[in-house]
Amino acid sequence: MEKILECLSIEKYLSIIDNMYRLGWDERNGGNVSMLLLKEEVEAYVPKAVIREIPLPIVADPLLRGKTLAITRTGGYFRNTKAHPEHNIGIIEISPDGTKALLHWGFEDDGCFTSEVYAHLLCHAARLKVNPNNRIVMHTHPTNLLALTHLVKLDEKELTLALWRTMTESIVVFPEGVGLLPWMLCGTNEIGQATAEKMADHRVVVWSLHGVYGSGDTIDEAFGLIETVEKAAEIMIKELGHEIINDIDDEGLKAIAAHFKLTPHPGYLK
Ligand code: 2HA
Ligand code: ZN
């Protein structure tokens, strides 16, 4: 086996991507995931040689220069990623001037990183500014959350409160709430900028009528965050058209936050 595939966090990265496909979130070539590698992982597992250089569409933030990431391929299918990682992911190092990706492994047959690379680079930088341990940026199309954005008013506070009220775990897992963007064209610098702005104070940002971006220190954490938002959205979908008889009110939400010593998004609870 190739050395890079023995790296535990790469193994985990591939199995989470596989799991996302099996959940039905990443149809065809939907979704993209990037993960910063730790210095010791780079030293132990990443081949030293640069296979080729790929220009980046934006100049990467100084925080990312010299860093190495695993990132999914444009046009690649999550369904095939675990079985053929050398084709579907690349291990890239950001050049010292931030203008190029130096490919160390993967992207066989002239592949390139995801078309959402703007959002990935900008979100990594935004999260690193508030949390130096953040390693993951994950984009996917969870079915219920996506459906919900067709059915509710696109208001960040209202959506967060509704998701919090569905189950006790919601406010525990995302006390800062969810960021929410209106429908925007994907793959552009604009949506990348807007997502990164939200990422300054949210780890999860919903893209209306498209999907979601999540982040976290580990791939389990980023996936778990999106999974929890998706579960809450599923409960909301199941409730639609029914009379709600019981719900978690503001007092309940405040009690959960106090018990778990969490700070809910300021101004959301009365
Ligand atoms: O990578 O999900 O938003 C395919 C997509 C684009
Ligand atoms: Zn997408």
Side-chain angles (χ1 to χ4, degrees):
M1 187 161 65
E2 293 198 54
K3 217 171 170 191
I4 185 73
L5 299 176
E6 290 170 21
C7 176
L8 215 60
S9 57
I10 293 287
E11 211 179 285
K12 192 93 205 191
Y13 174 84
L14 294 170
S15 63
I16 290 277
I17 286 174
D18 202 51
N19 188 39
M20 290 162 81
Y21 170 69
R22 278 187 278 105
L23 286 167
W25 296 357
D26 298 283
E27 73 293 338
R28 199 174 182 275
N29 63 322
N32 28 76
V33 185
S34 60
M35 175 176 72
L36 288 168
L37 296 180
L38 300 173
K39 212 161 147 232
E40 51 272 27
E41 291 171 333
V42 175
E43 276 162 19
Y45 300 105
V46 177
K48 301 276 174 286
V50 174
I51 305 169
R52 63 192 150 93
E53 295 183 356
I54 312 172
L56 291 172
I58 50 162
V59 181
D61 188 279
L63 279 173
L64 295 175
R65 298 180 195 169
K67 294 251 165 55
T68 299
L69 310 94
I71 188 163
T72 47
R73 175 189 183 117
T74 184
Y77 288 23
F78 277 20
R79 169 158 50 93
N80 301 332
T81 299
K82 194 175 177 187
H84 301 290
E86 66 292 346
H87 182 85
N88 291 294
I89 70 168
I91 307 291
I92 58 168
E93 177 190 350
I94 307 297
S95 66
D97 65 357
T99 64
K100 286 179 296 231
L102 314 176
L103 180 65
H104 286 267
W105 189 85
F107 291 155
E108 271 184 10
D109 305 322
D110 235 14
C112 181
F113 39 71
T114 167
S115 57
E116 300 292 356
V117 71
Y118 293 96
H120 280 259
L121 295 176
L122 292 167
C123 287
H124 273 292
R127 287 310 302 163
L128 286 173
K129 280 175 193 148
V130 291
N131 170 21
N133 296 322
N134 192 81
R135 294 177 65 190
I136 310 292
V137 172
M138 178 181 277
H139 168 61
T140 179
H141 306 158
T143 315
N144 293 285
L145 186 57
L146 203 164
L148 195 62
T149 62
H150 289 262
L151 303 170
V152 297
K153 195 168 116 198
L154 298 176
D155 179 278
E156 203 165 76
K157 177 181 172 185
E158 276 184 31
L159 177 63
T160 294
L161 281 168
L163 291 167
W164 280 352
R165 292 193 206 291
T166 60
M167 57 178 186
T168 306
E169 278 300 300
S170 286
I171 194 168
V172 177
V173 177
F174 48 100
E176 78 272 44
V178 295
L180 177 62
L181 292 183
W183 182 85
M184 291 175 77
L185 190 61
C186 60
T188 62
N189 197 352
E190 288 71 31
I191 200 169
Q193 292 283 0
T195 311
E197 275 166 32
K198 296 277 180 200
M199 281 263 175
D201 48 8
H202 299 86
R203 289 163 300 145
V204 61
V205 180
V206 179
W207 280 12
S208 296
L209 319 179
H210 183 137
V212 69
Y213 265 76
S215 60
D217 296 3
T218 64
I219 192 117
D220 265 331
E221 212 187 275
F223 173 78
L225 173 62
I226 293 179
E227 183 183 38
T228 309
V229 177
E230 165 65 2
K231 171 89 180 252
E234 182 175 4
I235 295 168
M236 279 181 72
I237 298 272
K238 287 185 195 293
E239 288 173 348
L240 279 176
H242 296 277
E243 183 193 353
I244 309 286
I245 298 172
N246 307 302
D247 220 356
I248 308 174
D249 61 13
D250 283 24
E251 284 312 308
L253 292 170
K254 281 196 275 189
I256 302 166
H259 182 75
F260 288 97
K261 300 186 172 51
L262 302 163
T263 310
H265 191 292
Y268 278 10
L269 296 175
K270 285 194 215 75

